[in-house]
Amino acid sequence: MEWQALIQAQPALAHVPSGLQAVAKRRKTQAGEPLFRQGERPRRVFFVCADEVRLLRRARNGAEIILQRSRGGYLAEASLGAKSYHCDAVTTETAVVLCFPIRVFLEALHEDSTFQQVWATHLAHEVRRLRAQCERLNLKGASDRIIHYVEAEGVDGSVTLHRSRKAWARELGLTHEALYRTLRRMKAEGTLHVGMDRISIARK
Amino acid sequence: MEWQALIQAQPALAHVPSGLQAVAKRRKTQAGEPLFRQGERPRRVFFVCADEVRLLRRARNGAEIILQRSRGGYLAEASLGAKSYHCDAVTTETAVVLCFPIRVFLEALHEDSTFQQVWATHLAHEVRRLRAQCERLNLKGASDRIIHYVEAEGVDGSVTLHRSRKAWARELGLTHEALYRTLRRMKAEGTLHVGMDRISIARK
DNA sequence: CGTACTTTTGAATCGCATCAAATCTGGTGG
DNA sequence: CCACCAGATTTGATGCGATTCAAAAGTACG
């Protein structure tokens, strides 16, 4: 497995100890293939490299309750101390994931204090990011969410978008139509500077 | 400081090593008092015991960007590895917080492997909870959010609410009016069983 | 008993989702 | 090179549902 390229594409994989790298396995899944099921004893930790994996529960009324949609990053971090998975993990498309045996992962955390610290830092950053996103999603107006995103995720009132606007819209909890329209309006109002992939808030 | 009572009220404070307990200080703040400011070097980690503390940034256009509203729990976990705070922390009312010196906190994490593990587990659970909440807030309908909440936060299609419905509405990203109305409608439809503080989803 | 807050219901408004469709883009293969 | 296709981008018209404003009744607490 070519870890150089992996880390290049996924910075969150940096600092994974070599012993853990050695036992990690890449896996390409079929669409709808389950990675694990609710109630099973956790045996692996996953990292989503491409496409999408969903954590979900089946509600009593038949509905699918999506707990998380992951398109990159660690999956089910909480399964590291848990006795059993508390939800299902299924791929919506052909997904590419890394599989780490939980036992080795825990050993690595326990023995490698650097990795331990990197892991805690990773989790803390994730917590911060998610809390900001929750606050953002609590805003009702589309323009409020856009401004919040730029101020919270960007630097000095300016962000670079690395993905399509459609994907951005989904992260903002808006339809792409609403995002396009609001961007146009804010640009016209002079509230926002909109470049190809650079969005800035007009100062005052 | 009576830690027994504290842990009783705030389970997240369990497993804090005695050495760290010893140097923690309780602090009652005035309304609007800043705990720290953006750019400062982190010196303390905080735990909100009562009332509310907000993390925010000042946007260039003058708006206050709320990154997090905390009404209980650790605050600014990410400041543990950071060179500087990346936002302001201000109290909206008279708040009660615990202050831990960061240096001692880091030492405790480094030397006490149990605490280290408890901390990582705490962060992982927080990540899981927050991801579920983000998915929930992406749902457009009020009833969808209610069902999602019950299935994700409850057990076997049933939750016990420990706070007022008004507070619940805010967590769901709804006005309290919308929540009351939707609960009434779902109860009438037979979708939901609504008790005093117990909400259950009708099975099929 | 009065005050502050939650709970509950009503009516009107507004903004986003939805449906629809045209244009533009990058990539694939003939 | 051009034809073609899938996906992103952009704009329009419509409807629904949550917000907003308003107000009344219930509840906890000193």
Side-chain angles (χ1 to χ4, degrees):
Chain A
M1 184 131 42
E2 61 309 317
W3 276 86
Q4 300 298 331
L6 273 179
I7 292 172
Q8 177 71 23
Q10 301 280 356
L13 285 173
H15 302 289
V16 170
S18 54
L20 188 52
Q21 287 182 9
V23 296
K25 283 184 184 140
R26 175 192 244 120
R27 180 168 158 195
K28 286 187 187 176
T29 68
Q30 301 300 315
E33 184 180 341
L35 293 178
F36 54 78
R37 292 198 173 281
Q38 189 168 356
E40 288 178 4
R41 189 155 150 280
R43 302 185 59 236
R44 299 174 199 286
V45 169
F46 298 91
F47 187 99
V48 181
C49 297
D51 302 320
E52 184 172 293
V53 179
R54 293 183 179 184
L55 299 186
L56 52 87
R57 288 184 181 174
R58 309 283 173 176
R60 324 178 95 192
N61 60 5
E64 270 190 358
I65 304 298
I66 301 176
L67 299 177
Q68 182 193 344
R69 266 174 292 197
S70 175
R71 301 186 71 88
Y74 288 98
L75 188 72
E77 287 98 331
S79 66
L80 273 171
K83 293 271 188 293
S84 65
Y85 292 116
H86 6 350
C87 57
D88 298 344
V90 300
T91 57
T92 54
E93 325 156 51
T94 332
V96 180
V97 297
L98 295 184
C99 309
F100 300 98
I102 273 197
R103 186 205 210 89
V104 184
F105 203 100
L106 285 174
E107 282 172 11
L109 278 177
H110 195 260
E111 291 163 15
D112 185 335
S113 71
T114 301
F115 181 49
Q116 162 79 252
Q117 197 189 329
V118 169
W119 181 247
T121 303
H122 159 71
L123 289 177
H125 278 125
E126 201 67 5
V127 167
R128 174 164 63 90
R129 220 179 46 76
L130 289 165
R131 286 201 179 127
Q133 184 167 7
C134 284
E135 287 295 339
R136 182 160 52 245
L137 292 174
N138 265 321
L139 302 175
K140 15 242 152 181
S143 58
D144 291 335
R145 292 198 191 164
I146 292 171
I147 290 177
H148 189 287
Y149 183 91
V150 175
E151 291 288 351
E153 307 295 330
V155 177
D156 203 31
S158 192
V159 266
T160 307
L161 300 175
H162 300 286
R163 293 170 300 160
S164 74
R165 299 186 181 202
K166 212 173 173 181
W168 188 30
R170 205 160 61 86
E171 188 176 349
L172 290 174
L174 300 169
T175 58
H176 58 279
E177 294 99 322
L179 176 59
Y180 287 126
R181 275 189 263 263
T182 309
L183 283 177
R184 179 163 57 114
R185 202 196 54 207
M186 294 177 77
K187 190 177 175 183
E189 285 172 356
T191 321
L192 215 61
H193 297 154
V194 183
M196 280 301 289
D197 53 357
R198 191 86 190 156
I199 309 281
S200 305
I201 295 175
R203 30 179 130 65
K204 202 78 181 191
Chain B
M1 182 132 40
E2 60 310 316
W3 276 86
Q4 301 297 331
L6 273 179
I7 293 173
Q8 178 71 22
Q10 301 280 355
L13 285 173
H15 302 288
V16 171
S18 53
L20 189 52
Q21 287 181 10
V23 296
K25 282 181 185 143
R26 175 191 243 121
R27 180 167 158 194
K28 286 187 186 175
T29 70
Q30 302 299 314
E33 184 180 341
L35 292 179
F36 55 78
R37 291 198 174 282
Q38 188 168 356
E40 287 177 6
R41 189 154 150 280
R43 302 186 57 236
R44 298 175 198 286
V45 168
F46 299 91
F47 187 98
V48 181
C49 297
D51 301 320
E52 185 173 292
V53 178
R54 292 183 180 185
L55 300 186
L56 51 88
R57 288 185 182 173
R58 309 282 173 177
R60 324 179 95 189
N61 60 4
E64 270 191 359
I65 304 298
I66 301 177
L67 298 178
Q68 181 192 346
R69 267 174 292 196
S70 175
R71 301 187 70 88
Y74 288 98
L75 190 71
E77 286 99 331
S79 67
L80 270 176
K83 293 270 188 292
S84 65
Y85 292 116
H86 17 336
C87 57
D88 298 345
V90 300
T91 58
T92 54
E93 325 156 51
T94 332
V96 180
V97 298
L98 294 184
C99 310
F100 300 98
I102 273 197
R103 188 206 209 88
V104 185
F105 203 100
L106 285 173
E107 282 172 11
L109 277 177
H110 195 260
E111 290 163 15
D112 185 335
S113 71
T114 302
F115 181 49
Q116 194 171 58
Q117 199 189 329
V118 168
W119 182 247
T121 303
H122 159 72
L123 289 176
H125 278 125
E126 202 66 6
V127 167
R128 175 162 63 90
R129 221 179 44 77
L130 289 165
R131 287 200 178 130
Q133 185 167 6
C134 284
E135 287 295 338
R136 181 160 51 248
L137 291 173
N138 265 320
L139 301 176
K140 338 130 216 206
S143 58
D144 291 335
R145 291 196 191 166
I146 292 171
I147 291 178
H148 189 287
Y149 183 91
V150 176
E151 292 288 351
E153 307 295 329
V155 177
D156 203 29
S158 192
V159 267
T160 307
L161 300 175
H162 301 285
R163 292 170 300 161
S164 72
R165 299 187 180 204
K166 210 172 173 181
W168 188 30
R170 206 159 60 85
E171 188 175 348
L172 290 174
L174 300 169
T175 58
H176 58 279
E177 295 99 323
L179 176 59
Y180 287 127
R181 275 189 263 264
T182 310
L183 282 178
R184 178 163 58 113
R185 202 196 54 206
M186 294 177 79
K187 191 178 174 182
E189 285 173 354
T191 321
L192 215 60
H193 297 155
V194 182
M196 281 299 290
D197 53 357
R198 189 85 190 157
I199 310 280
S200 306
I201 296 176
R203 30 179 132 64
K204 202 82 183 189

